[in-house]
Amino acid sequence: MLQRMGGYARTGRKNRSFYRKSFTWFLFAASVPGLIIALATYGFAVGPMQKNISDLHQNQIKERAQNIDDQFGSVEQDISHWAFNPRFGSDLKEMNFVYQFRDTYDITKTLFMLQGSHPLINQVQLYINGHNTVLFQPEFYMLDDSAQIDGFQRIIAEGTNIYWTDWLPAAEGNAQNADTPIVLVHKIPGDSSSPFGVLVTELKREKVMNLLKTMTPYNQGFTMLLDKKGELLVADHAEETAVNERLRAEVLGREEPSGTFLFNRDDITYSVSYGKLTRLSTEWTYISATPITTITSSVVKLSNTIFLVSASGLVLALLLSWLASRRVYLPVERLLNSLKWHKGEDLARGMDEFQFLENQWNQLHDESLNLRNRLDEQRTHVRSGFLLQLLQGHLASYTEKDLKSRMKLYGWDTDDHQFRILHIQLTGYDILTERFSQGDESLVTFTASNIIEELAAGHFEQFSVMNFHDLTVAVLVMYPDGEPIGERIQSLGTEITKAINGIIHMQVTITFSGAMERIQLIPDMYMEVERATGYRKFVNQNQLIDMEQLTAHADGSEFHYPFALERDIVHAMRASDKEEAERLITLFLEEVLSARGTEILVQQSMLQLFATIQHAILQSGLSPHQLFGGENMFGQLSQIREPEKMLGWMKRKVILPFIDERDARANIELKRLVESTIDYVHAHYASDLSLEQCADLAGTNSYTLSKYFKQFMGINFIDYVTELRIDKAKTLLRETDLKINDIASEVGYQQRYFNRIFKKQVGLTPGQFREQTEG
């Protein structure tokens, strides 16, 4: 023991000698290069940097002034382009803007587009002194304010065809805004020497101010813009009146059109840059003042930093070298201490610590190989993974021979064997809210898979249970060729049903596949089994489905889709009647279920209903993407396996958001107006109806009624009347023996128009429709 300790002590001293050498090299590497770099940086960088930063600042001012000039030029170009547009031509002078409301609406849309075409534009106004004196702001107004009319006439009389001004006409009795406006005026028609109107574009002062602020990139200093007369247009520090006035006077007193100079204020020196912005029929002057200390602060800080770094370099290098050497050696020391029961004897034989660690690594590597071989023998999880890959079709490239070889490797006997699949679907989960909470599906499936595994062990020697964690479990059964197992599978299904009913209190749907002689057929058969599960009756009860006895429809009856209820649901939702819509959807699902619909047919019916509702949502002007928060609604609905959950989903996720959004947008009075119009249409659809007639009865004009009818109902007035008449006609064709000519009169059409409109709406002639419904 003393000998081992002595050997370790000698080796420890040797290791410490290596540590000291490492420390010396760390000290040299850390200190000398740092000192050289510091001296070189101070000598060659600080001086030129100060000049470069100052030059860079001046270049930035020029570039940003050019950018501001480009922004104003862009506004001028856009306004000129629109002013020469044929929409603002000579026809406007004689236009009756009230009678030609469609053209008036188009002009308003054009002005809105122009107003949003550039971020600097605040408002666009169009003044026309023609057949009528009107003003678009951009909405249409009949102008009778003499003060405003005189103001706009003054604008037409002044300047060239396009010019800048700082004045806007104000309505009579309204004071001019305290802030000076920045306005671009373009007379119309753009190519006329006798203009009768004017396109007035007012810029956003805050946007112009933000542009000017880009010339003070350090968020300090002053920026302002002067007009041709030297008067202040915009200033970012308008409250600094004295400073602004001094700067303005200094710049206006200089002969050079642009340049730089120093300006002192409160012991602070500013670098002032100024220049000209040449605009249409005018010329503006920009002024930018930035503190010198702000520009050169980085150089001063760099100089101080280099000095401090150079002064403390040796001390810091010494400390870092010691810490780095200790840090590097600590992992080696920890490894040696972790192997202290073995290192004394090995180190006493002359090994250094790295040779010792290499020796231990080789031993651990050998032990790792042994453990890996032992793990290979534990094939339970590997077998489960292999079967999951097989069922999901990931092994399609394997040959039958390869698959048998793999299964034999995992301990299965597949020679002269056949295979069958059992698919177990648990239902009724959402009803058991007191037993399970949201997210417990995986736990429930795990419990069911354990029960199924125990029961299957009593019936078959070779089988494997696969847990999919989503309330579904699959069992792959392997049995010798020719062995009858139909009764055993039926018995196993019955036992599984009773056990899960009694323990978990859920219902079970079990689907049995046919026999398979090849392993390669298993993935396709599993897909067939999953599809066959969809033919279960869509109710929460135990069901056993044998694929060998399954037909397309067990009772051979034809499935009926409730189109009338679908239409009533859409109408109830359009009318924002939540209770009626929920009642009708409940009746819809009950009617689908009463027709002995399977899971597949019920899901298809509900998906068709949701598609119709989504179409109605689009017609009403809403965005399904925004209404449903971007969720995949069809995907969610297709994954629901229980009627109650499906009904709750439709009420909660579809009806409620749609009606809430409609109610939020709806105006009560306008809604009543539309509802009274609808009542009148339903009462008089067989007579000659017109939009103007209904508007007169409602006490409004046809334009307003048409607009809000489309907003609330999702379709325009004519289409609604047509749809109502065609629906009534279809009812008479199905339920009465009236002649087609009489039916046309009953719904308000002449026969020659009725046949054409009916075929356009339905795709069939009235006679073809009656024959199809009778068949």
Side-chain angles (χ1 to χ4, degrees):
M1 181 69 177
L2 292 174
Q3 183 180 3
R4 287 200 301 269
M5 292 181 64
Y8 177 67
R10 291 192 298 274
T11 306
R13 287 193 295 272
K14 178 182 177 181
N15 291 339
R16 287 297 175 180
S17 175
F18 175 79
Y19 170 75
R20 287 193 295 272
K21 293 179 181 178
S22 300
F23 171 75
T24 302
W25 279 106
F26 271 111
L27 178 61
F28 179 82
S31 61
V32 175
L35 290 174
I36 295 174
I37 293 172
L39 292 173
T41 302
Y42 192 88
F44 297 102
V46 173
M49 185 180 296
Q50 185 169 1
K51 182 178 183 303
N52 291 338
I53 289 178
S54 179
D55 294 342
L56 178 62
H57 171 71
Q58 298 303 327
N59 291 334
Q60 286 180 335
I61 295 298
K62 292 179 181 179
E63 290 175 1
R64 293 174 184 183
Q66 182 61 43
N67 177 56
I68 294 172
D69 188 67
D70 293 342
Q71 292 289 336
F72 284 117
S74 176
V75 174
E76 294 170 353
Q77 184 177 0
D78 289 348
I79 296 303
S80 297
H81 170 78
W82 283 100
F84 284 93
N85 190 296
R87 186 177 300 283
F88 301 119
S90 301
D91 295 342
L92 292 179
K93 187 172 183 180
E94 302 300 327
M95 181 179 294
N96 187 328
F97 293 94
V98 176
Y99 178 76
Q100 296 174 275
F101 65 90
R102 172 54 61 184
D103 293 331
T104 304
Y105 175 68
D106 290 342
I107 292 173
T108 300
K109 287 200 305 181
T110 302
L111 293 178
F112 271 116
M113 291 173 58
L114 176 56
Q115 187 167 291
S117 65
H118 198 283
L120 287 180
I121 296 178
N122 179 43
Q123 186 182 39
V124 179
Q125 302 182 53
L126 175 64
Y127 168 78
I128 303 296
N129 185 16
H131 180 77
N132 303 112
T133 302
V134 299
L135 177 64
F136 290 83
Q137 288 185 319
E139 294 86 356
F140 167 73
Y141 297 96
M142 296 295 295
L143 192 59
D144 56 5
D145 189 323
S146 60
Q148 277 190 291
I149 294 174
D150 292 342
F152 280 110
Q153 289 299 123
R154 170 185 164 186
I155 289 178
I156 294 176
E158 292 179 351
T160 60
N161 272 4
I162 178 169
Y163 65 92
W164 289 90
T165 184
D166 58 357
W167 180 82
L168 273 176
E172 187 173 356
N174 292 345
Q176 183 73 31
N177 195 320
D179 293 330
T180 302
I182 303 176
V183 179
L184 178 61
V185 174
H186 202 301
K187 301 174 185 179
I188 61 170
D191 55 354
S192 173
S193 59
S194 301
F196 57 84
V198 64
L199 193 63
V200 179
T201 305
E202 181 185 0
L203 302 189
K204 298 178 181 176
R205 287 182 58 82
E206 65 276 8
K207 292 291 186 180
V208 175
M209 193 65 255
N210 289 338
L211 274 178
L212 291 178
K213 286 181 179 179
T214 60
M215 291 194 292
T216 55
Y218 309 101
N219 295 322
Q220 298 183 34
F222 304 91
T223 307
M224 64 187 72
L225 187 65
L226 308 179
D227 62 12
K228 185 176 183 180
K229 299 177 181 179
E231 298 297 330
L232 186 65
L233 279 177
V234 183
D236 61 342
H237 289 76
E239 69 279 2
E240 300 283 351
T241 307
V243 179
N244 292 340
E245 186 61 29
R246 284 181 59 194
L247 281 172
R248 188 177 73 87
E250 181 71 24
V251 171
L252 293 177
R254 291 181 173 269
E255 297 181 357
E256 299 83 1
S258 63
T260 61
F261 61 90
L262 298 180
F263 174 78
N264 295 314
R265 173 189 179 253
D266 298 336
D267 299 328
I268 300 176
T269 301
Y270 293 84
S271 174
V272 180
S273 300
Y274 67 95
K276 300 293 184 181
L277 298 177
T278 303
R279 303 265 50 86
L280 294 170
S281 301
T282 188
E283 188 176 64
W284 295 341
T285 302
Y286 68 85
I287 304 173
S288 172
T290 305
I292 290 293
T293 54
T294 302
I295 301 174
T296 60
S297 61
S298 58
V299 178
V300 175
K301 291 179 181 178
L302 178 61
S303 301
N304 294 334
T305 301
I306 292 175
F307 175 80
L308 292 175
V309 171
S310 301
S312 59
L314 287 175
V315 177
L316 185 60
L318 178 64
L319 177 61
L320 291 177
S321 299
W322 180 78
L323 290 175
S325 60
R326 285 293 304 163
R327 187 77 173 178
V328 169
Y329 191 76
L330 279 176
V332 179
E333 191 175 35
R334 285 198 299 268
L335 282 174
L336 291 171
N337 290 333
S338 66
L339 301 171
K340 62 184 179 180
W341 297 110
H342 306 280
K343 68 184 178 183
E345 181 176 352
D346 291 335
L347 293 176
R349 292 201 298 265
M351 287 186 180
D352 60 25
E353 63 270 36
F354 294 102
Q355 291 173 332
F356 170 73
L357 291 175
E358 182 181 3
N359 182 57
Q360 291 299 312
W361 169 264
N362 291 331
Q363 293 182 18
L364 292 174
H365 179 67
D366 293 338
E367 292 179 7
S368 175
L369 290 177
N370 292 332
L371 289 174
R372 184 178 299 176
N373 292 332
R374 292 174 60 186
L375 286 173
D376 289 340
E377 298 174 1
Q378 308 298 321
R379 293 171 295 187
T380 302
H381 297 296
V382 180
R383 291 169 63 174
S384 298
F386 169 79
L387 285 181
L388 284 175
Q389 290 182 340
L390 178 64
L391 290 181
Q392 294 170 359
H394 299 313
L395 304 179
S397 61
Y398 282 54
T399 64
E400 183 72 9
K401 182 179 180 180
D402 292 335
L403 292 173
K404 285 188 175 183
S405 176
R406 287 282 298 274
M407 295 188 74
K408 186 175 182 180
L409 178 64
Y410 296 143
W412 285 308
D413 181 13
T414 59
D415 293 334
D416 300 324
H417 275 65
Q418 293 184 337
F419 310 88
R420 283 204 179 191
I421 297 175
L422 282 73
H423 183 274
I424 299 97
Q425 173 76 54
L426 307 183
T427 59
Y429 178 86
D430 289 276
I431 300 176
L432 303 176
T433 55
E434 296 180 357
R435 290 175 56 84
F436 306 121
S437 59
Q438 193 69 26
D440 286 344
E441 291 90 340
S442 180
L443 179 61
V444 173
T445 312
F446 174 79
T447 303
S449 65
N450 289 338
I451 295 172
I452 293 168
E453 188 167 10
E454 291 182 6
L455 295 175
H459 291 268
F460 302 101
E461 293 181 0
Q462 291 194 103
F463 68 95
S464 184
V465 177
M466 285 147 285
N467 177 8
F468 294 101
H469 305 283
D470 60 352
L471 302 179
T472 59
V473 179
V475 181
L476 177 64
V477 176
M478 290 162 277
Y479 59 95
D481 290 342
E483 182 177 327
I485 65 165
E487 292 183 2
R488 279 196 287 167
I489 288 182
Q490 291 286 341
S491 176
L492 175 60
T494 302
E495 290 181 14
I496 291 174
T497 300
K498 291 180 179 179
I500 292 179
N501 290 165
I503 298 174
I504 307 181
H505 301 294
M506 292 182 66
Q507 287 70 46
V508 183
T509 297
I510 303 178
T511 305
F512 310 105
S513 76
M516 294 165 286
E517 298 180 353
R518 298 169 55 208
I519 302 174
Q520 288 180 317
L521 299 177
I522 291 177
D524 294 335
M525 180 58 73
Y526 180 72
M527 292 177 61
E528 293 293 330
V529 171
E530 279 191 316
R531 283 196 290 266
T533 303
Y535 286 100
R536 71 183 181 94
K537 295 179 181 178
F538 207 38
V539 291
N540 290 322
Q541 65 182 26
N542 298 315
Q543 301 177 56
L544 299 179
I545 301 173
D546 190 345
M547 290 185 60
E548 294 181 342
Q549 302 175 2
L550 185 67
T551 59
H553 292 286
D555 56 357
S557 62
E558 183 178 356
F559 183 76
H560 170 69
Y561 183 82
F563 288 98
L565 280 174
E566 177 190 77
R567 183 187 64 244
D568 293 340
I569 290 169
V570 172
H571 284 195
M573 292 181 65
R574 285 174 175 170
S576 297
D577 192 341
K578 177 175 174 292
E579 290 76 16
E580 179 66 9
E582 291 181 348
R583 184 186 71 82
L584 291 171
I585 281 191
T586 303
L587 291 176
F588 182 93
L589 183 59
E590 289 176 354
E591 183 168 339
V592 172
L593 292 172
S594 67
R596 290 180 287 180
T598 63
E599 177 182 329
I600 291 177
L601 294 177
V602 173
Q603 281 190 336
Q604 290 176 348
S605 298
M606 297 302 286
L607 287 169
Q608 174 61 38
L609 174 61
F610 176 74
T612 302
I613 293 174
Q614 181 165 271
H615 180 69
I617 291 172
L618 288 169
Q619 285 186 329
S620 67
L622 300 177
S623 169
H625 181 79
Q626 294 180 352
L627 187 66
F628 301 133
E631 297 182 5
N632 182 3
M633 303 296 283
F634 283 101
Q636 290 183 17
L637 181 57
S638 64
Q639 295 299 318
I640 300 177
R641 294 290 184 268
E642 299 178 18
E644 294 81 4
K645 187 174 181 180
M646 187 175 290
L647 183 61
W649 183 89
M650 290 289 290
K651 292 178 179 179
R652 184 181 69 259
K653 303 278 283 187
V654 180
I655 295 177
L656 184 60
F658 176 78
I659 292 179
D660 286 348
E661 183 67 19
R662 293 267 298 185
D663 289 343
R665 295 187 175 194
N667 179 286
I668 296 176
E669 293 299 326
L670 293 173
K671 184 177 178 182
R672 289 175 179 172
L673 182 146
V674 173
E675 289 175 349
S676 65
T677 301
I678 292 173
D679 293 338
Y680 182 83
V681 169
H682 278 264
H684 300 85
Y685 68 90
S687 61
D688 186 15
L689 284 174
S690 68
L691 179 63
E692 290 76 11
Q693 175 187 358
C694 293
D696 291 340
L697 291 172
T700 184
N701 57 64
S702 59
Y703 173 78
T704 300
L705 179 59
S706 175
K707 174 182 175 182
Y708 289 104
F709 192 98
K710 177 66 179 293
Q711 177 179 328
F712 288 119
M713 299 306 296
I715 59 176
N716 59 43
F717 177 83
I718 297 301
D719 291 342
Y720 184 85
V721 173
T722 302
E723 182 179 309
L724 176 63
R725 287 172 168 173
I726 294 302
D727 285 344
K728 296 295 184 179
K730 289 195 290 187
T731 301
L732 293 173
L733 288 169
R734 284 195 302 262
E735 300 177 1
T736 70
D737 294 326
L738 290 174
K739 296 181 179 179
I740 294 177
N741 188 32
D742 295 333
I743 292 175
S745 299
E746 286 287 332
V747 297
Y749 286 116
Q750 297 180 8
Q751 184 178 6
R752 63 177 182 275
Y753 296 111
F754 174 65
N755 291 337
R756 183 173 59 194
I757 293 174
F758 190 95
K759 185 172 183 180
K760 180 179 179 182
Q761 295 290 323
V762 182
L764 301 171
T765 65
Q768 292 172 339
F769 179 83
R770 171 171 278 174
E771 291 176 1
Q772 188 180 74
T773 55
E774 289 175 353

